[in-house]
Amino acid sequence: MSDMIPFIDLGAQRARIKDRIDAAVMKVLDEGRYILGPEVNELEDRLAEFSGLGRALSCANGTDAILIPLMAFGIGPGDAVFVPSFTFAATAEVVVLAGATPVFVDIDPDTYNMSAASLAAAVEAVNQAGELTPRAVIAVDLFGQPADYPALKPIARENGLKLISDCAQGYGCTLDGKATLHWADVLTVSFYPAKPLGAYGDGGAILCKDDALYAAMKSVRVHGEGASRYEYARIGLNSRLDTIQAAILLAKLDVFGEEIAMRQAVADAYATGFGNAVKTPRIIDGARSTWAQYTIEVADRDGFRAFLAERGVPTAVYYPIPLHKHEPYSGFPCAPGGLPATEAAADRVVSLPMHPDMPQADIDRVVDAVTGYASRN
Ligand SMILES: Cc1ncc(COP(=O)(O)O)c(C=O)c1O
């Protein structure tokens, strides 16, 4: 077997921007304001600026970034929150943690993002059953591509639902040049190291446009604190972002726009190199993906992965089992008609190496392996 190329190469990025990151971290250590230091506020301002609208609140991770707005909206027992099943556990987990009920919605088979038709049917079914109150929808910008907000937003508006963009994988993605917050009430981000904008540890952020919501979320972030310290207005969390992580993210944000373009160049080279050999990702009109993952579909996934591994190309599967098929989530409702597109995708998807620093030789290796697989026999 040949040596494996990296799936994601955080070391290459570190080598490229080492000096500015090291300087940023040393400054925090020298100044000693480890919790909610000045870099945290600066990062929040810069995140909002990068998105072009709203204001940002940092928090401890991308999971809390979804839980905090649910708590601030007062969503809890008896409430229904519509979520995809083809996503990372956090999207549905936070709904259960808030005490509400996740209702699983199917995806579009080409983009893997939430299907507006399935959402509309799921909301209607919950309304008809009359047991739960529909309160919110969490659309995931899966693999870095914005969900179809122009289709989802009217359904949310007509049914009085808060619209949350779980942009954990897609911070920096746009639709018609706009951040998903343009349509959503809240945009949530993860800074997990492997994410397109990753820290050197856990981190997250929430963007919103509404000042009252911002204030409520800020209170939730620090134990529900009220008008003054040690006065509590609500039940909250400890979900602060460390100053060191904020400093690292500020340094990474300086090159983030450039890195999105570098990821796009890798995606373009893949699409050209693969031609019609495999089902390549479909990006909706007007969308810019951050390419958190480059995901294709194959019928014999195990055979494909073994063939690529033999040629030094690692692969990963996001996600082999949809959430509604896992025991802890199996009792929650699904949209009428079930989730056929979700289940089909889970059987076929496979993600290829993707990172901004990918050398041409590695891109060529992936293209040769994928086209070689398609033309075997
Ligand atoms: C879609 C989605 N939502 C939420 C999260 C949670 O983010 P974190 O790992 O920072 O808590 C992730 C990341 O892993 C994710 O991919």
Side-chain angles (χ1 to χ4, degrees), residues 122-133 333:
V123 176
E124 194 185 329
V126 169
N127 278 330
Q128 297 252 318
E131 284 169 8
L132 297 169
T133 308

Side-chain angles (χ1 to χ4, degrees), residues 61-63 66 87-88 90-91 140 166 168-169 190 192 195 203 319:
N61 52 64
T63 305
I66 330 171
T87 179
F88 183 64
T91 314
V140 175
D166 176 354
Q169 305 179 10
S190 165
Y192 181 80
K195 295 287 192 259
Y319 297 92

Side-chain angles (χ1 to χ4, degrees), residues 16-175:
R16 175 161 48 80
I17 56 175
K18 182 177 187 302
D19 291 350
R20 64 176 91 193
I21 290 189
D22 290 0
V25 171
M26 284 315 295
K27 181 168 175 286
V28 176
L29 296 185
D30 288 342
E31 290 179 357
R33 297 173 67 184
Y34 309 125
I35 296 289
L36 297 183
E39 286 81 359
V40 175
N41 279 338
E42 193 187 334
L43 175 70
E44 290 170 343
D45 290 347
R46 292 270 310 282
L47 290 171
E49 195 186 306
F50 190 87
S51 293
L53 77 168
R55 54 199 298 197
L57 182 75
S58 58
C59 62
N61 52 64
T63 305
D64 284 359
I66 330 171
L67 177 59
I68 289 170
L70 292 179
M71 291 172 73
F73 289 136
I75 289 174
D79 292 336
V81 177
F82 301 86
V83 295
S85 173
F86 195 57
T87 179
F88 183 64
T91 314
E93 182 182 51
V94 291
V95 176
V96 184
L97 288 174
T101 301
V103 178
F104 291 113
V105 173
D106 208 5
I107 51 167
D108 174 287
D110 291 323
T111 64
Y112 313 120
N113 279 332
M114 185 178 275
S115 151
S118 178
L119 173 65
V123 176
E124 194 185 329
V126 169
N127 278 330
Q128 297 252 318
E131 284 169 8
L132 297 169
T133 308
R135 292 290 307 278
V137 50
I138 307 177
V140 175
D141 304 314
L142 201 73
F143 305 148
Q145 155 153 238
D148 188 359
Y149 291 95
L152 300 174
K153 175 78 179 172
I155 302 167
R157 193 190 304 114
E158 279 156 29
N159 291 282
L161 307 178
K162 300 293 184 193
L163 178 55
I164 297 174
S165 161
D166 176 354
C167 205
Q169 305 179 10
Y171 177 68
C173 74
T174 53
L175 192 52

Side-chain angles (χ1 to χ4, degrees), residues 85-294:
S85 173
F86 195 57
T87 179
F88 183 64
T91 314
E93 182 182 51
V94 291
V95 176
V96 184
L97 288 174
T101 301
V103 178
F104 291 113
V105 173
D106 208 5
I107 51 167
D108 174 287
D110 291 323
T111 64
Y112 313 120
N113 279 332
M114 185 178 275
S115 151
S118 178
L119 173 65
V123 176
E124 194 185 329
V126 169
N127 278 330
Q128 297 252 318
E131 284 169 8
L132 297 169
T133 308
R135 292 290 307 278
V137 50
I138 307 177
V140 175
D141 304 314
L142 201 73
F143 305 148
Q145 155 153 238
D148 188 359
Y149 291 95
L152 300 174
K153 175 78 179 172
I155 302 167
R157 193 190 304 114
E158 279 156 29
N159 291 282
L161 307 178
K162 300 293 184 193
L163 178 55
I164 297 174
S165 161
D166 176 354
C167 205
Q169 305 179 10
Y171 177 68
C173 74
T174 53
L175 192 52
D176 298 332
K178 301 181 194 92
T180 59
L181 183 62
H182 174 78
W183 294 271
D185 296 288
V186 170
L187 180 164
T188 70
V189 191
S190 165
F191 299 127
Y192 181 80
K195 295 287 192 259
L197 180 60
Y200 284 168
D202 278 310
I206 313 154
L207 283 91
C208 70
K209 296 165 283 193
D210 183 277
D211 288 344
L213 174 60
Y214 172 87
M217 295 196 301
K218 194 169 180 188
S219 161
V220 172
R221 176 178 74 171
V222 185
H223 303 289
E225 81 185 2
S228 63
R229 206 163 181 200
Y230 305 123
E231 184 193 326
Y232 303 105
R234 54 177 56 74
I235 302 296
L237 304 168
N238 170 6
S239 188
R240 296 173 296 234
L241 178 72
D242 291 348
T243 310
I244 286 181
Q245 298 303 341
I248 291 164
L249 287 163
L250 276 167
K252 289 204 182 191
L253 200 51
D254 285 342
V255 296
F256 187 48
E258 210 178 297
E259 288 186 345
I260 293 174
M262 290 157 81
R263 288 172 177 275
Q264 182 62 50
V266 176
D268 290 342
Y270 277 168
T272 309
F274 297 159
N276 293 322
V278 285
K279 182 179 173 194
T280 50
R282 188 173 93 72
I283 301 301
I284 57 175
D285 287 348
R288 181 180 73 164
S289 176
T290 55
W291 296 108
Q293 303 297 341
Y294 188 96

